[in-house]
Amino acid sequence: MEPQKPKIVMYARRSFGDKLVASFDFIRENWKPLLKYSTYLILPVCLIQALSLDVVLESTAGMSSVSTAEVDNATLSRAYDFLTYYALYACMAVIGGLLFGALVYALIRVYNEREERLNGISLKSLKPLLLHNMKKLFVLGVLGAVLFYFLVMIAVVLTSVSLYTLILTVPLLIACAIPLVLAAPVCLFEDISALKAIKKAYELGFATWGGVFMVTLIMGLVAVVLQGVTAMPWYIASIVKLLFAESDGGSTATVSVGYSFILYLLGVIQVFGGYVASIFTLVGSAYQYGHASEKMDGVRIESDIENFDKF
């Protein structure tokens, strides 16, 4: 029997390459429970999201083929369908994002706290932690949205004074947004409020800004590539459907039921693939947080020792 590899430690100072290696090692070691519980929790959400996406596509195709002078009740009905199902899609995306983020960070936390790692866990045993994580992520998301809106409003006010302020405001917005990547792991791995988590995320994030930026960039690129792979079949099938609709005066009625069902299944794969691909950014952020936390704790300890020697 092949000996088990050493457990991946969360709180450790790591170089940039070591953080990526730790993130990929965690995903490689635990891909089965990650995929298993993602399917259980996220697939029902994906089924509704994909249905909404298909209706949004049909409504968009119908409205794009009608000129302003030809607006009638049917066109208004399509516009209503578009807004309704787009709102449903956005709502399900929020729910799916909360569920998926809560699940990934719950699995990471359980992995860190158990000697058995993720062996023998069940969805039932994860339920209390999942609900706890979802509540904290929701509050954190609201606070983060308010903070981001506040920063954008400042940028808009400065831009109204002079467009040249964009040279300053855009880099500042990016610089202030990057540390927020650590807010979720801080909030979920430590027993603190969402507001204190944002404050600590800025403390850790600015102290390790370059590492946060690079980990987010690399893991984000990996996620985008994987999401593109799962989304490409749906995009190609959608373009074919729109071409058929365009040749028939904007109506999708000529598209067969079988083709529509295939398009729906491809939509499910696209949405589910988007969630699964985001595992890389979530896990990368977690190990970047572990590095930043250990680094700052080490700095505090060294500072305390130096101050103690002065006495």
Side-chain angles (χ1 to χ4, degrees):
M1 182 177 179
E2 186 179 349
Q4 192 174 26
K5 292 183 179 180
K7 188 176 181 180
I8 305 169
V9 180
M10 167 66 71
Y11 298 97
R13 291 193 185 189
R14 292 183 170 96
S15 65
F16 170 68
D18 288 339
K19 283 179 281 190
L20 295 182
V21 170
S23 301
F24 284 114
D25 283 347
F26 177 84
I27 296 172
R28 188 183 301 111
E29 180 182 337
N30 302 291
W31 70 270
K32 288 183 179 179
L34 282 167
L35 186 59
K36 176 182 176 181
Y37 295 120
S38 297
T39 304
Y40 287 163
L41 288 178
I42 305 301
L43 190 56
V45 177
C46 295
L47 294 175
I48 301 176
Q49 268 190 269
L51 181 63
S52 306
L53 193 63
D54 192 48
V55 177
V56 168
L57 176 68
E58 290 188 9
S59 302
T60 305
M63 290 186 295
S64 63
S65 62
V66 179
S67 64
T68 306
E70 297 175 330
V71 173
D72 54 10
N73 291 334
T75 307
L76 293 176
S77 177
R78 292 192 188 98
Y80 176 78
D81 289 342
F82 173 82
L83 293 175
T84 302
Y85 281 93
Y86 188 81
L88 177 60
Y89 179 86
C91 181
M92 297 308 297
V94 171
I95 294 173
L98 289 175
L99 264 174
F100 193 73
L103 172 65
V104 173
Y105 284 125
L107 291 174
I108 295 175
R109 182 165 182 171
V110 170
Y111 176 89
N112 293 331
E113 294 175 353
R114 295 174 78 242
E115 288 296 328
E116 303 86 356
R117 308 183 189 188
L118 295 182
N119 297 320
I121 63 167
S122 64
L123 195 58
K124 185 177 181 180
S125 64
L126 288 173
K127 185 177 178 180
L129 187 55
L130 282 173
L131 294 175
H132 171 267
N133 285 359
M134 285 190 68
K135 291 176 184 178
K136 297 194 77 172
L137 280 178
F138 177 77
V139 175
L140 185 65
V142 172
L143 292 176
V146 171
L147 177 60
F148 184 74
Y149 178 78
F150 177 73
L151 293 174
V152 170
M153 288 304 298
I154 293 177
V156 170
V157 171
L158 292 175
T159 304
S160 64
V161 176
S162 173
L163 288 177
Y164 292 107
T165 59
L166 288 174
I167 301 174
L168 178 63
T169 55
V170 171
L172 281 177
L173 275 176
I174 296 173
C176 291
I178 291 298
L180 285 175
V181 172
L182 300 183
V186 171
C187 189
L188 300 183
F189 294 150
E190 301 183 18
D191 295 325
I192 58 177
S193 65
L195 190 60
K196 290 182 179 179
I198 292 177
K199 181 181 177 182
K200 187 168 183 178
Y202 273 112
E203 178 186 349
L204 298 178
F206 281 128
T208 58
W209 194 93
V212 179
F213 176 77
M214 289 304 298
V215 169
T216 303
L217 177 64
I218 298 301
M219 289 304 200
L221 288 175
V222 173
V224 167
V225 171
L226 292 178
Q227 187 175 6
V229 171
T230 59
M232 189 59 65
W234 181 84
Y235 281 116
I236 294 174
S238 298
I239 291 173
V240 172
K241 183 175 182 178
L242 290 177
L243 290 175
F244 275 114
E246 188 69 25
S247 64
D248 195 44
S251 174
T252 58
T254 55
V255 180
S256 69
V257 176
Y259 188 85
S260 297
F261 182 69
I262 292 174
L263 184 62
Y264 169 69
L265 291 180
L266 293 176
V268 173
I269 294 173
Q270 179 213 6
V271 176
F272 184 74
Y275 285 118
V276 173
S278 66
I279 287 177
F280 291 90
T281 54
L282 294 173
V283 174
S285 300
Y287 283 100
Q288 173 62 36
Y289 153 75
H291 161 78
S293 182
E294 186 68 16
K295 179 179 179 180
M296 291 306 295
D297 286 343
V299 170
R300 293 190 191 99
I301 292 172
E302 291 171 2
S303 177
D304 290 342
I305 292 174
E306 290 177 0
N307 292 333
F308 181 79
D309 290 341
K310 292 179 182 179
F311 289 106

